[in-house]
Structures are given as C-alpha cells and as structure tokens.
Amino acid sequence: MNNFFLNAPLTINISLSYRCNFTCHHCYSREISPTEELTFDDFKKISQILSDWKVPFLNIGGGEPLLVSWLFDFVKFSNQKGLHCSMNSNGYLLDKEKAKEIKKAGFTSVGISIDSPKEEVHDSFRNKKGSFKRALSALENLAEENVKTTVSMVISKLNKDDFEEIVPIVENYKVKQLYLHNYKCSGMGYKNMEKLDLTPQEWKEFYKKALEVRKNNPHITISFDDPIMHLLPEYNERPLVRGSTCGKLSLNIHSNGDITPCGFMSVKIGNILKDDIIKLWKESPVLNTLRNPVPQGKCTSCSIYENCLGGCKARAFIMAGDFNNPDPHCWKEGGDNR
Amino acid sequence: MTVKISDDVFERVEEENLRQAEEALSKGIYEVAENLGVLTLIKAGLMTQLNIMGYHIWNKIKEPKTISQLAEEISKDFDVPYETALEDVKIFLKDLIDSGFIIYE
C-alpha cells in the first residue's frame, strides 16, 4: 500500500484565545493578528464540526488556555462529542484546584512548558519570575490527580548544551513524555532569531546529542517534531508520513476560526465556520502544495531528499516565502555529506 | 495462543477511501483497492494504515483468535488454500505485532 491519505486530520491544534500572562522571547503567537476571539457557542459549533468529521484529537494552545473562563466546559462538551482533548500551558495558573478541574473535565494529557533545567534561565526566557517553580508545581498538582503530563522544551541557544538535565527533574513528577521542539522563526521567535536560534551545524550536533540522551533514558519518551532529523543516519524512525506533517496529519485553527496548515504559518486556507472544511482538506491549493513538495535549491541535488522532503515548511515559508525552499535549519551543503 | 488488538489502539475508518476501495474491488481493479488506506491505526505516537484486505483481517481479530483460526476464516472468505491464507496472515500480523498494535494473549 503506498497511497496514504486521510479523509480528515488526526489532530487539530486550536487556540481559543491568544491572551497570555507571559511574554516569552520565542512566542509565535505574540505577534499574531487578528486577535479576535469567537464565543464559547462558536467553539462548541467547531467541536461539533470536528466530531462529525471524525477528527480524534484536539490540542488546545494559544495564548494561555487557563485564561479562558469556559475552557473546562468546552473540554467537557468536546469530550462528549468524542474528541480527545489535550492542552499546552505554561503552568503558572495551574494550582491544585485547577488540576482537579482538569481531571474532571477529562483532558487526556496536559503539556507544561519548561525551557531550561535552570530556574533563572527559564524565568528570564519566559519573562516571568517564579515561572519555573510554578511549572514544576503544576506538574506535581497534575500528578496528584493522575493526569497524564508531558513537558515541552523549545530548543534554543539558551538550553542546547544542558537540555538533558531536565530529564531527571521531570521524571520526579511522573512526566511520561518530553518534547524537544525545534525553534520556529515565527512571531517573537523571528524577532529574536539571531539571539536564540541555532545554526544548521548546531542543530545537527544538538540532534545527535539528543538521540544519545534518548537512548540513555528509555524510561521516558523523548519526542521530536523536526523533519530534518531524518537526515541523520542514526535516526532510524521511518514514519508513514515523510517530511512536515502540517496539512497532512494536522491543521491549526486560530481563535477567530481561521484555518492555517500549522500555528507557525500565517497562510490562511479558510475559516472553519464559514467554509466547507471537507472540501478545503481535499482541494486547498496550499495543502496540496504542502503534500506534493517539489525540491528547490540545494534540495534538488540531495540524495536523501525523500527522507525529509525539504524539512519544516513553516520555516521555509517564513524565511523565503516559498514552501518548497530548503529548510533554513538544514545542515547539508548539497551533495551527500550527512 | 491467540492474537488480539492491543487495548490502547485508536482506530479510524477512512470512510471515503473505504467506499472507493469497495467500488474498485467490485470492478475488479485490485491495484487501486490495494493501494488505498482505509483504516488508520494509532498507538502511542505510532501510526499505520491498512488497506481493505488488512481491514477485513483486522475486523476478524476484534474477537481474539489463534493464527490458524484466522487463516481458516480467511481461506474460506477469499476461497484460497489454507496454506496460502496462513502465509498471508503471518505476513500481515508480523509488523502489527512488532509495533504492538496486535498482541499475543
């Protein structure tokens, strides 16, 4: 079988609001416009649409989801419609009471962002004193309620050399999975790119090291979301979907209902409440471009292009205005040096 | 020893693909049917898709059974010799067992 195609995405990333209690240096959404927010009733309609479309997983981001007053009612409603809901939070507002509400609402898991094993680095990066301690406290509160937790770390120059020290810390809080996210040059991430983003060679070294860390810590799942990792011979995962999964496995819905392939791309393909989502999924020229990449630049002479299909399309688009441009994080010079 | 579907597998029928595959089979266009993913399976971050033949076998494992029982059923359903069905079933199960979608009980 070689004709992989889904009749609907498996995951929808949704932002109920872009309001946030943090002003992080890498935040992709700080610069997002419009910041219009649909109502709770509108979002219930969206859940119904997604449920009818047989989308199984709904991941709530933002903004800080815990600032949305009807968050738990929304999750309860979505659960009733058969959606499995998770969320990403900075954890600052996640006290014992909130953890109980999260459990009651039926979240399948909650991701907490921690961007350094060092308290002072995390607090500075997140621009909020006390945020590291609060993030750990959130994990503790969730563990007490037996809510599955994950930790998300965005890799930057600030943590590339000591990221592995987070593993023993989060293991103390029964964290099941650690996501090491690649840096996205989007929003504030674009503005602070020079200061925070790694060079292509540094990305290569980071991933090599991260794979070693993963090998040495089998009791926690360490996950990545960067298609250029497939350039490394030692990364032997061969997923069903090659390259970027945006627009192939997932879509992103903004707080005003606009749909983009992922949260880091500003290219709108439609609006969930105004357009026929099934038709968009099948016929959107943007999605079809993402699903049928054409190598450009150094990718044309790359013998392992099929492994990564040009890497992250959001980064390529942001930096070059073309999805097919080589991923700016790619360390290959062209030719076959891996 | 029986085989069964692991409890933590999420599955979704790709209904449009299934309709297309059934239509292709009814017209005898086997290559089209073989190449359409009609069932998406997810387990702990792993994902795979089955074509219509795999989907047929998958549905039979909803009730745990031995590999020989499964082969007997497939042999009857598709009117193929038992030995051929047994080989096909073993090939079908291998990857799914290796990746934990199906387990021995």
Side-chain angles (χ1 to χ4, degrees), chain A residues 218-232:
Chain A
H219 33 280
I220 184 167
T221 305
I222 298 181
S223 302
F224 311 95
D225 61 353
D226 197 340
I228 61 165
M229 281 190 78
H230 294 282
L231 298 175
L232 290 173

Side-chain angles (χ1 to χ4, degrees), chain A residues 28-202:
Chain A
Y28 75 100
S29 66
R30 181 60 40 188
E31 301 279 298
I32 279 180
S33 68
T35 50
E36 178 200 342
E37 291 174 16
L38 298 174
T39 63
F40 178 35
D41 281 342
D42 289 328
F43 277 106
K44 284 203 284 188
K45 282 181 203 156
I46 293 173
S47 276
Q48 185 64 60
I49 291 168
L50 299 179
S51 167
D52 292 344
W53 199 21
K54 303 249 174 6
V55 171
F57 304 111
L58 186 63
N59 182 46
I60 303 167
E64 170 53 44
L66 289 172
L67 289 173
V68 177
S69 60
W70 39 264
L71 171 71
F72 300 120
D73 290 329
F74 173 70
V75 170
K76 280 177 203 161
F77 179 85
S78 300
N79 277 341
Q80 284 163 8
K81 298 291 164 194
L83 292 157
H84 301 77
C85 297
S86 57
M87 79 166 163
N88 297 321
S89 166
N90 57 42
Y92 198 80
L93 301 170
L94 212 161
D95 56 16
K96 286 182 189 297
E97 193 188 325
K98 283 280 190 302
K100 283 186 200 306
E101 288 188 81
I102 284 167
K103 176 73 177 177
K104 210 169 142 192
F107 280 92
T108 52
S109 76
V110 173
I112 300 293
S113 296
I114 302 180
D115 288 316
S116 170
K118 294 190 174 68
E119 180 178 347
E120 64 281 9
V121 177
H122 173 88
D123 285 5
S124 164
F125 186 63
R126 293 262 157 190
N127 222 358
K128 191 88 162 179
K129 200 162 171 46
S131 58
F132 183 83
K133 281 197 175 118
R134 292 266 201 133
L136 293 183
S137 173
L139 291 174
E140 188 173 14
N141 295 335
L142 290 165
E144 276 174 19
E145 296 298 326
N146 284 319
V147 175
K148 185 186 167 196
T149 53
T150 63
V151 162
S152 287
M153 176 182 269
V154 175
I155 299 303
S156 71
K157 283 196 193 296
L158 304 180
N159 58 21
K160 74 176 174 62
D161 295 322
D162 64 2
F163 70 94
E164 73 271 28
E165 290 171 30
I166 199 68
V167 174
I169 296 174
V170 299
E171 274 180 341
N172 283 335
Y173 297 91
K174 299 180 188 166
V175 172
K176 302 278 183 218
Q177 197 163 14
L178 171 64
Y179 286 99
L180 299 177
H181 293 289
N182 59 91
Y183 187 88
K184 296 288 194 314
C185 314
S186 179
M188 292 299 288
Y190 184 80
K191 285 191 172 171
N192 291 315
M193 189 172 66
E194 291 292 317
K195 199 168 64 181
L196 296 172
D197 198 6
L198 312 191
T199 64
Q201 202 55 38
E202 284 173 330

Side-chain angles (χ1 to χ4, degrees), chain A residues 304-323:
Chain A
I304 51 171
Y305 174 77
E306 290 302 317
N307 288 5
C308 79
L309 297 176
C312 172
K313 299 298 174 194
R315 278 197 296 261
F317 187 79
I318 292 162
M319 301 307 289
D322 187 337
F323 295 124

Side-chain angles (χ1 to χ4, degrees), chain A residues 236-301:
Chain A
N236 53 14
E237 287 183 16
R238 291 292 172 259
L240 204 54
V241 174
R242 296 284 171 94
S244 166
T245 57
C246 304
K248 298 175 189 167
L249 301 181
S250 61
L251 284 178
N252 180 70
I253 298 178
H254 290 277
S255 63
N256 63 353
D258 283 352
I259 306 165
T260 53
C262 80
F264 305 103
M265 276 184 216
S266 56
V267 187
K268 175 184 166 180
I269 62 163
N271 185 287
I272 182 87
L273 293 179
K274 295 173 188 162
D275 298 305
D276 178 346
I277 185 73
I278 297 173
K279 195 167 184 292
L280 280 177
W281 179 250
K282 280 197 265 186
E283 297 174 11
S284 159
V286 172
L287 296 185
N288 283 323
T289 303
L290 292 170
R291 291 168 189 158
N292 301 289
V294 180
Q296 281 185 19
K298 66 180 180 181
C299 292
T300 56
S301 60

